[in-house]
Amino acid sequence: MTKKKILLDVDTGVDDALALILATQSRAFHILGITVTSGNVSLDQAFLNTNKVIQWLNLDKSIPILRGSEKPLRRHPLYEHRVHGNDGLGGALADQPVQLPDGGDAVDFLIQTIEEHPRELTLIMTAPLTNLARALMKKPGIAALVKETVIMGGVVQGYGNITPVAEFNMYVDPEAAKIVFHSGLPITLVGLDVTRKARLNEKHLADLDDSRFGSFVRQATAQYFAVSEKRTGVRACALHDPLAVGVALDPSLVEKRAYYVDVETNSDLCDGQTVCDFQNRWGKAPNIQVCTDVQSERFLNLFMKTLKGE
Ligand code: BDR
Ligand code: CA
């Protein structure tokens, strides 16, 4: 079977780390690179975490990991330490030795990799969209060369997770999201509408305990579980970023519909809100395949089996 060529863009982050584990352990992908941006944590911390995770996994050193944007296009960074902990990994891998690669800029790498693999590459974006927006600003033509762009972000029929209406990745850099949404890229949006239905619970943790990744997952998600319990009454960790990887692995996990979607960038109350024109009131051509439902049990089975090496 030929492997799907992918490039991941992350702000590692507890669920980005789980997404990296799922992507690498699935063995279904040829990972051409991982680009990093600030988001959940600073760029330095996200770069450190990404390298730690990849080196801990003992992967082929040939996966390039590139530093990207230190801040959103026009706004100040906003970190999410409440959920991801001081180090972004909930204290997991604190003692993991790590060597940081020198090389290259994420934006140039994105452009070059897309140009070298015309219509072959799937981008999996699990962070604020700053790196990709900067690549598109520099070379708008790359949009036509990408096969597929799976974005974890937004929410079209529910409430936000950072403001009442906005999802974190959209809220942190809405100007970047706007550029990406209107670039002509083929986009699948994996928003909170579906990722909230894909939740890791205590039973899953117990089931993973004996596996290679059991203690990492338990430790990394502990704070996430606690915050979720406080906010919603449910002890769980929504697998936001892993579901984006899941959709790239198996598109049949979700139901999708094409809509025109835009992002609010100029409102005291609603910045970062993803506005979906369900009834085509604006009469504009759809620009995004929006995930409207997910077979969450099937996805969780895939996630668990992959982490257990089954
Ligand atoms: C998204 O925001 C981040 O906190 C997570 O890593 C995920 O990418 C969920 O809203
Ligand atoms: Ca993320």
Side-chain angles (χ1 to χ4, degrees):
M1 198 184 79
T2 54
K3 295 189 175 190
K4 198 180 238 193
K5 291 181 185 162
I6 67 164
L7 203 152
L8 292 139
D9 186 81
V10 297
D11 59 338
T12 315
V14 172
D15 58 332
D16 299 81
L18 298 179
L20 288 171
I21 296 174
L22 178 61
T24 54
Q25 303 309 301
S26 76
R27 304 188 193 287
F29 296 132
H30 178 191
I31 303 177
L32 296 182
I34 304 173
T35 52
V36 184
T37 185
S38 90
N40 289 317
V41 291
S42 69
L43 174 63
D44 283 346
Q45 186 73 55
F47 188 62
L48 181 78
N49 292 349
T50 308
N51 280 284
K52 267 191 178 181
V53 170
I54 295 301
Q55 286 169 33
W56 168 66
L57 290 169
N58 220 353
L59 292 169
D60 181 352
K61 300 255 181 332
S62 66
I63 300 180
I65 302 177
L66 289 297
R67 280 174 64 92
S69 310
E70 283 188 14
K71 55 187 179 59
L73 292 184
R74 294 200 203 149
R75 300 180 186 230
H76 296 295
L78 171 79
Y79 306 137
E80 189 47 304
H81 292 291
R82 285 172 309 174
V83 176
H84 299 270
N86 289 339
D87 66 352
L89 292 177
L93 301 188
D95 300 326
Q96 170 66 32
V98 61
Q99 279 190 318
L100 297 181
D102 301 331
D105 170 68
V107 172
D108 291 336
F109 179 83
L110 265 165
I111 294 169
Q112 191 188 331
T113 312
I114 292 167
E115 288 180 338
E116 281 173 4
H117 301 274
R119 284 166 281 277
E120 285 180 1
L121 196 54
T122 295
L123 308 179
I124 304 179
M125 313 296 298
T126 65
L129 292 167
T130 321
N131 286 341
L132 184 54
R134 286 177 51 214
L136 288 161
M137 285 158 74
K138 211 165 169 182
K139 271 278 180 93
I142 56 171
L145 301 179
V146 173
K147 185 176 167 204
E148 186 186 19
T149 316
V150 183
I151 296 175
M152 190 287 127
V155 54
V156 296
Q157 273 195 310
Y159 47 90
N161 64 354
I162 187 74
T163 75
V165 297
E167 181 278 330
F168 180 82
N169 290 337
M170 299 290 110
Y171 182 73
V172 168
D173 200 344
E175 284 79 15
K178 205 180 236 314
I179 289 169
V180 171
F181 282 15
H182 298 299
S183 64
L185 277 168
I187 296 174
T188 296
L189 195 66
V190 184
L192 299 179
D193 308 81
V194 283
T195 63
R196 275 198 177 113
K197 295 180 184 168
R199 290 196 296 210
L200 198 75
N201 60 29
E202 295 280 5
K203 214 172 135 284
H204 297 117
L205 289 186
D207 200 8
L208 281 174
D209 267 340
D210 293 335
S211 75
R212 178 179 170 207
F213 302 111
S215 66
F216 172 82
V217 178
R218 191 172 273 283
Q219 195 181 353
T221 57
Q223 189 161 335
Y224 216 118
F225 269 70
V227 171
S228 160
E229 184 170 33
K230 201 165 160 205
R231 204 166 281 152
T232 65
V234 182
R235 278 187 66 72
C237 172
L239 296 177
H240 303 295
D241 295 342
L243 184 57
V245 172
V247 170
L249 276 171
D250 180 359
S252 77
L253 288 169
V254 285
E255 275 174 33
K256 297 191 268 189
R257 279 195 71 171
Y259 290 112
Y260 180 80
V261 183
D262 207 339
V263 187
E264 179 60 59
T265 57
N266 190 20
S267 158
D268 285 345
L269 296 181
C270 299
D271 270 3
Q273 181 173 16
T274 39
V275 180
C276 180
D277 190 1
F278 288 104
Q279 296 182 319
N280 198 226
R281 287 176 185 268
W282 288 326
K284 296 190 177 177
N287 56 340
I288 292 192
Q289 295 281 339
V290 179
C291 295
T292 54
D293 207 355
V294 57
Q295 296 180 25
S296 40
E297 276 312 307
R298 259 186 73 216
F299 168 67
L300 281 157
N301 277 341
L302 169 73
F303 181 81
M304 295 294 292
K305 279 191 163 182
T306 307
L307 266 65
K308 289 200 284 184
E310 289 173 358

